[in-house]
């Protein structure tokens, strides 16, 4: 009767993605989208060579892969559960496959693209 | 006003300052299965004072206007958890909700949401009671204690772990508030999960592993999407959403650590 749920796997990814989306994303948006273009970071802080150097390093690659893929898992999990809140109750399995499949696809794509840089 | 209240009420009203009583319309959900095919609403004019509760309004209707009205109540002081109703669409204990707060508007009283209606404002609680029994809501001693062993002491910190959750009075307001329970009543629900946590978090209890089976299921904590309305409507200050979220962490640990720990040692 009490079948163990596999939800902890997705909830953990959701939680990790939540930390990224809530704490790192606003900082990244500020740095790359506002402070950089406004010149608040000093000359050449976000220059092509410098960013390429960062993304080309193992740490930089790992950072980008985690930030991007965990955000995928976070968003997909949230939308999947919100769909239940909105009363979409049929074909939950297929819906889960669609959303988590999308997050998995996003993760693979991120790894391929980021690994190929530099 | 006295005439409107009827002869039975006159004596009582004589010394409750009748002149000050206002009247409010109470719209009540009615369903008498022996002759109603479907529910309908009936409106009653009820005199009230500043301290008249919604429950007293219903009692006035039953005593003076329509004796066939059925509703549950007992203590009148937010202890027993019997008189939960939907009051203008929100789950409330009718004994701690006051007519003055709705005047000059009307009050609409319905049975608690998400439960089958037996008659008028009375809902069938069987599903909740079955789930409550299922979590064994009592302390399982680590080892049997003799009277000579004396009381089982706890530190203030150990008490704080579960104290708020032990305030639950099984009034079902959180079930009426929970959209997930409304969508799918297979979900264990906020009240039972809060009570489950009350025992699991108690240092004197030894049945956590057994209750974790309920926690770990899809219908356990994982049926919750953290809407949080349960914690808002609780009349006793219990935070079921917190209990559920703490157990999502417990369940996640249990999920991954079971591969690392030998069988039988997990708690």
């Amino acid at each position: 009767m009490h079948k163990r749920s596999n939800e902890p796997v997705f909830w953990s990814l959701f939680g990790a993605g939540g930390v990224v989306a809530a704490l790192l994303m606003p900082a990244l948006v500020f740095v790359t989208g506002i402070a950089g273009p406004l010149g608040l970071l000093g000359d050449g802080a976000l220059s092509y060579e410098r960013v390429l150097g960062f993304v080309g390093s193992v740490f930089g690659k790992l950072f980008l892969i985690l930030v991007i893929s965990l955000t995928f898992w976070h968003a997909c999990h949230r939308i999947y559960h919100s769909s239940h809140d909105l009363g979409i109750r049929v074909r939950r399995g297929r819906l889960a496959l669609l959303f988590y499949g999308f997050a998995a696809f996003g993760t693979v794509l991120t790894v391929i693209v980021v690994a190929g840089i530099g | 006003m006295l005439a409107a209240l009827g002869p039975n009420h006159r004596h009582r009203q004589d010394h409750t300052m009748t002149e000050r009583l206002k009247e409010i319309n109470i719209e009540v959900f009615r369903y008498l299965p022996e002759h109603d095919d479907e529910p309908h609403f009936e409106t009653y004019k009820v005199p009230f004072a500043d301290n008249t509760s919604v429950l007293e309004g219903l009692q006035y209707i039953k005593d003076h206007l329509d004796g066939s009205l059925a509703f549950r109540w007992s203590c009148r002081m937010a202890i027993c958890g019997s008189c939960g109703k939907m009051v203008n669409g929100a789950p409330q204990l009718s004994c701690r909700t006051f007519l003055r707060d709705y005047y000059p508007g009307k009050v609409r009283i319905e049975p608690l949401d998400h439960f089958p209606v037996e008659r008028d404002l009375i809902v069938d609680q069987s599903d909740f009671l079955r789930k409550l029994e299922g979590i064994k809501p009592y302390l399982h001693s680590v080892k049997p204690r003799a009277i000579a062993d004396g009381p089982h002491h706890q530190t203030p910190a150990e008490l704080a772990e579960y104290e708020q959750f032990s305030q639950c009075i099984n009034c079902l307001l959180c079930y009426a508030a929970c959209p997930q329970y409304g969508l799918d009543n297979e979900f264990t629900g906020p009240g039972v999960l809060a009570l489950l946590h009350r025992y699991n978090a108690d240092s004197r209890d030894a049945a956590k592993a057994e209750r974790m089976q309920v926690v770990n299921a899809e219908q356990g904590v994982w049926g919750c999407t953290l809407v949080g309305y349960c914690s808002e409507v609780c009349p006793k200050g219990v935070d079921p959403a917190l209990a559920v979220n703490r157990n999502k962490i417990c369940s996640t640990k249990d999920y991954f650590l079971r591969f690392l720990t030998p069988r039988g040692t997990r708690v």
Side-chain angles (χ1 to χ4, degrees), chain A residues 65-85:
Chain A
I65 289 170
L66 281 179
V67 164
I68 298 170
S69 64
L70 287 175
T71 309
F72 268 120
W73 288 101
H74 178 78
C76 288
H77 180 89
R78 190 67 261 173
I79 298 169
Y80 171 63
H81 281 284
S82 297
S83 73
H84 188 260
D85 291 353

Side-chain angles (χ1 to χ4, degrees), chain A residues 1-9 11-12 78 81-82 84-87 89, chain B residues 180 183-184 213-214 216-218 222 225 248-249 251-252 254-256 258 266:
Chain A
M1 174 189 169
H2 299 301
K3 190 170 166 287
R4 187 190 274 277
S5 169
N6 289 315
E7 192 75 2
V9 175
W11 188 71
S12 303
R78 190 67 261 173
H81 281 284
S82 297
H84 188 260
D85 291 353
L86 292 172
R89 298 187 54 200
Chain B
Q180 293 306 337
L183 284 169
D184 181 1
Q213 292 176 20
V214 178
N216 291 334
E218 198 69 50
W222 302 111
T225 55
K248 281 183 178 174
I249 296 168
S251 178
T252 302
D254 194 88
Y255 187 91
F256 291 110
R258 75 196 146 124
R266 224 171 341 123

Side-chain angles (χ1 to χ4, degrees), chain B residues 127-135 181 185 187-188 192:
Chain B
D127 181 55
F128 168 78
L129 294 171
R130 183 177 55 78
K131 286 171 178 157
L132 184 60
E133 263 184 71
I135 60 155
Y181 184 73
N185 68 4
F187 174 40
T188 307
V192 168

Side-chain angles (χ1 to χ4, degrees), chain B residues 128 132 135 165 168 170 174-175 188-196 230 240:
Chain B
F128 168 78
L132 184 60
I135 60 155
F165 304 105
C168 172
N170 302 350
C174 55
Y175 280 79
T188 307
V192 168
L193 288 170
L195 280 166
L196 182 152
C230 52

Side-chain angles (χ1 to χ4, degrees), chain B residues 72 114-119 122-129 172 181:
Chain B
R72 286 199 179 99
H114 308 154
F115 290 97
V117 175
E118 282 186 358
R119 181 185 185 87
I122 295 179
V123 295
D124 180 358
Q125 308 177 335
S126 322
D127 181 55
F128 168 78
L129 294 171
L172 307 189
Y181 184 73

